Amino acid sequence: MYSSVSAAPVYYRHPGPFHAILLAGTVPLFLGCLLGDIVYYKTYQIQWINFAAWLNAGGLLFCGLALLCALVQLFTASRKTGRPLMQVLLLAVTWIIGLFNAFEHAKDAWAAMPSSLILSAIVAALAVVAAWIGLSVPRSGGVQ
């Protein structure tokens, strides 16, 4: 006897190549910002926090463009809940906290510590989770 297994429909479209590149590029930029802040906190050499500020600016650019792509994907999705909505919310929160981190990096180097280090850690963690959700493939159905 043969049995047919009907898989639950998947309403999530995979990100396009440009969206995937933006998601994947956001993570190393924000992680690099975190590492630059950690090195500055350990060595007090001002160039490290300048480097972290530039990496944060690049991360904000990539994250903002990925957010725009995620919004387009959300509006074109047949179901507006679940993964597309979660990705948009995570990217929006990542961008907003990253913007506050940019304001912290605009301060004098010593005045930016430790708040910029804490914000960089939060932004890096949020970027990893947002990229994970955006790039992972949802599963449906069972063993055939």
Side-chain angles (χ1 to χ4, degrees), residues 60-137:
L60 282 173
L61 177 68
F62 272 57
C63 186
L65 292 173
L67 177 60
L68 288 176
C69 290
L71 282 170
V72 168
Q73 186 177 6
L74 177 67
F75 288 128
T76 60
S78 57
R79 201 171 98 190
K80 308 271 190 271
T81 60
R83 295 175 76 85
L85 181 64
M86 181 64 74
Q87 183 186 12
V88 167
L89 292 176
L90 276 171
L91 285 171
V93 169
T94 303
W95 193 86
I96 290 168
I97 297 175
L99 182 65
F100 285 124
N101 194 16
F103 294 152
E104 285 296 317
H105 278 99
K107 293 180 181 177
D108 181 51
W110 183 247
M113 284 295 145
S115 57
S116 65
L117 179 62
I118 295 167
L119 287 174
S120 292
I122 293 170
V123 168
L126 286 172
V128 167
V129 172
W132 187 300
I133 288 175
L135 296 174
S136 64
V137 178

Side-chain angles (χ1 to χ4, degrees), residues 14-64:
H14 300 293
F18 183 66
H19 186 190
I21 288 171
L22 291 172
L23 278 175
T26 300
V27 173
L29 288 167
F30 282 135
L31 283 175
C33 178
L34 173 62
L35 292 175
D37 283 340
I38 290 171
V39 172
Y40 174 72
Y41 189 73
K42 298 286 184 185
T43 64
Y44 304 116
Q45 296 204 6
I46 294 175
Q47 192 57 34
W48 285 108
I49 202 159
N50 292 337
F51 189 51
W54 280 104
L55 287 170
N56 188 50
L60 282 173
L61 177 68
F62 272 57
C63 186

